[in-house]
Amino acid sequence: MPRTPRLIKHARGRVLIVLGAGLAIAGTGAAAVTAGLSGSTAAATTSLSHQARHVTGPASTAAGNFTGHAANTTGRPLTEQARAAHRHTVPAAKHTTAPARHPATAARHATAARQNPAPARKPAPARKPAPARHTSPARHTSPARHTSPAHHTTAAAGRGPAPKASRHPAQRNQAQRNQAQRNQAKHNQAQHKALTWTAISRIVANHTSPRPGNGPLPAADRLMPVGTSGPQTQLPINAARWHNATVIVRQTLAKKMGMRAAVIAVATSMQESGLINVNYGTSDSLGLFQQRPSMGWGSPQQVMRPAYAADAFLNALRGYQAHQPGWATQPLWQIAQGVQGSAFPYAYAKWEAQAAQLVTAIVRHLY
């Protein structure tokens, strides 16, 4: 009797499974252990016996002592010992082996699973595609170019870098025409820079009537065949004056009247209107040359058109030339006065030098 508490105290510090094994071997606590394991006596006893076989050392000695003590206390009821062993062995049994499910219970769970299957999971909703980003017009791509089949096969086979996409025949032709135009413009520009004023004068003279041939240029094809008369003055040239002077020179060259006639016409307009297409003047005078509709120069609407006014002046100049065979060697003011009939005939002379400069610049620009 005195040894029983010490043995229980000693056994508490050891593995709880050993106590259950000792009780099973001694046969004293089988009924209590069986009752604590919820009807699974065979499974618990087998597990405890298996663990008891692996126990050695002091734990085995303690089990032997505990067995001997249990054999010497047959006269004492075993209910307290069974309760003490049950308190120590139940937690170990819970962790070692789960109780087997009763066959009837397992059959009920299987039948319920067949009758009430688990609901199928709903498929995940499809994600909405992200809205396309708006790109700036500078980033919009050009229409897709047509590519040859070799381009696709090479890129698909991975044989190397894909060749550049070939252009459509129409695009290639347009690109070739554009390049040809650029080359021609560069050639013309280079040729124009290489031309001297003498060469340009010869080209213009070959378009006049009569043609000078290979000899020296006649007076009608030169800018200033005679010296200026009196002091010269200058007029500031703006875009409007340049445009009107260009119209006069174009009309003169189109009528094949030569360089000298162009200088006379520009100088006359500089004196009459300052190369401005004005809609007023003395009496009913209008336009670049202050031509009067009442004197037969045309209607007010006609003389206000620069091309028409220049053409009307050049027609009158051609009539003067027909009656004056040596007109090209006459002073500029005399020729202009023979066409215009101005009250101030000498006023035309002061614009001769600047008129020659304007004609030179315009002809260079045209050729």
Side-chain angles (χ1 to χ4, degrees), residues 138-165:
R139 296 179 63 182
H140 285 298
T141 57
S142 59
R145 296 176 178 175
H146 296 281
T147 57
S148 60
H151 168 73
H152 297 286
T153 55
T154 306
R159 297 175 182 175
K164 294 183 178 179

Side-chain angles (χ1 to χ4, degrees), residues 37-361:
L37 292 180
S38 304
S40 57
T41 303
T45 305
T46 303
S47 177
L48 294 175
S49 301
H50 176 73
Q51 295 180 11
R53 287 196 298 269
H54 293 81
V55 177
T56 59
S60 301
T61 305
N65 294 335
F66 182 79
T67 304
H69 175 71
N72 295 328
T73 56
T74 55
R76 183 182 177 88
L78 299 177
T79 56
E80 294 182 3
Q81 297 177 1
R83 285 196 297 270
H86 176 69
R87 285 196 299 269
H88 293 287
T89 56
V90 168
K94 289 182 181 179
H95 291 283
T96 55
T97 304
R101 184 175 292 179
H102 195 273
T105 304
R108 286 198 303 272
H109 283 289
T111 304
R114 288 194 300 271
Q115 293 177 354
N116 300 316
R121 292 186 178 180
K122 295 182 179 180
R127 295 185 178 180
K128 295 181 179 180
R133 296 182 179 178
H134 295 283
T135 56
S136 60
R139 296 179 63 182
H140 285 298
T141 57
S142 59
R145 296 176 178 175
H146 296 281
T147 57
S148 60
H151 168 73
H152 297 286
T153 55
T154 306
R159 297 175 182 175
K164 294 183 178 179
S166 59
R167 293 184 177 180
H168 193 273
Q171 295 178 347
R172 289 198 301 270
N173 295 338
Q174 183 62 34
Q176 292 174 359
R177 287 194 295 270
N178 294 339
Q179 185 62 35
Q181 291 176 0
R182 288 192 292 269
N183 294 339
Q184 185 64 32
K186 290 180 180 180
H187 176 73
N188 294 340
Q189 185 177 6
Q191 188 177 10
H192 174 71
K193 290 181 179 179
L195 289 176
T196 62
W197 176 248
T198 302
I200 295 175
S201 300
R202 179 64 63 176
I203 294 173
V204 174
N206 288 331
H207 290 87
T208 60
S209 182
R211 294 183 180 181
N214 296 327
L217 294 177
D221 293 317
R222 288 180 284 173
L223 295 169
M224 299 174 63
V226 294
T228 58
S229 303
Q232 301 295 301
T233 186
Q234 295 287 323
L235 185 70
I237 302 301
N238 54 21
R241 290 188 171 105
W242 174 268
H243 172 74
N244 293 328
T246 302
V247 171
I248 295 172
V249 173
R250 283 181 179 274
Q251 289 297 110
T252 306
L253 298 181
K255 297 176 78 67
K256 299 180 180 180
M257 296 181 64
M259 292 280 197
R260 184 59 177 173
V263 174
I264 294 170
V266 171
T268 302
S269 179
M270 294 174 72
Q271 172 59 29
E272 296 290 350
S273 65
L275 279 176
I276 300 297
N277 191 28
V278 295
N279 58 355
Y280 58 87
T282 304
S283 299
D284 59 343
S285 301
L286 297 172
L288 291 175
F289 294 90
Q290 289 292 285
Q291 295 161 337
R292 298 180 62 182
S294 61
M295 300 298 293
W297 289 96
S299 66
Q301 293 79 13
Q302 289 175 331
V303 297
M304 283 297 297
R305 295 201 301 266
Y308 177 88
D311 191 68
F313 175 84
L314 293 171
N315 289 337
L317 178 60
R318 180 169 283 173
Y320 178 85
Q321 294 171 351
H323 293 88
Q324 299 287 333
W327 65 272
T329 58
Q330 295 176 356
L332 184 142
W333 65 266
Q334 183 178 350
I335 304 171
Q337 177 63 17
V339 176
Q340 293 293 102
S342 173
F344 306 95
Y346 299 104
Y348 300 107
K350 60 184 176 183
W351 305 107
E352 183 174 1
Q354 189 178 14
Q357 295 173 1
L358 271 175
V359 171
T360 302

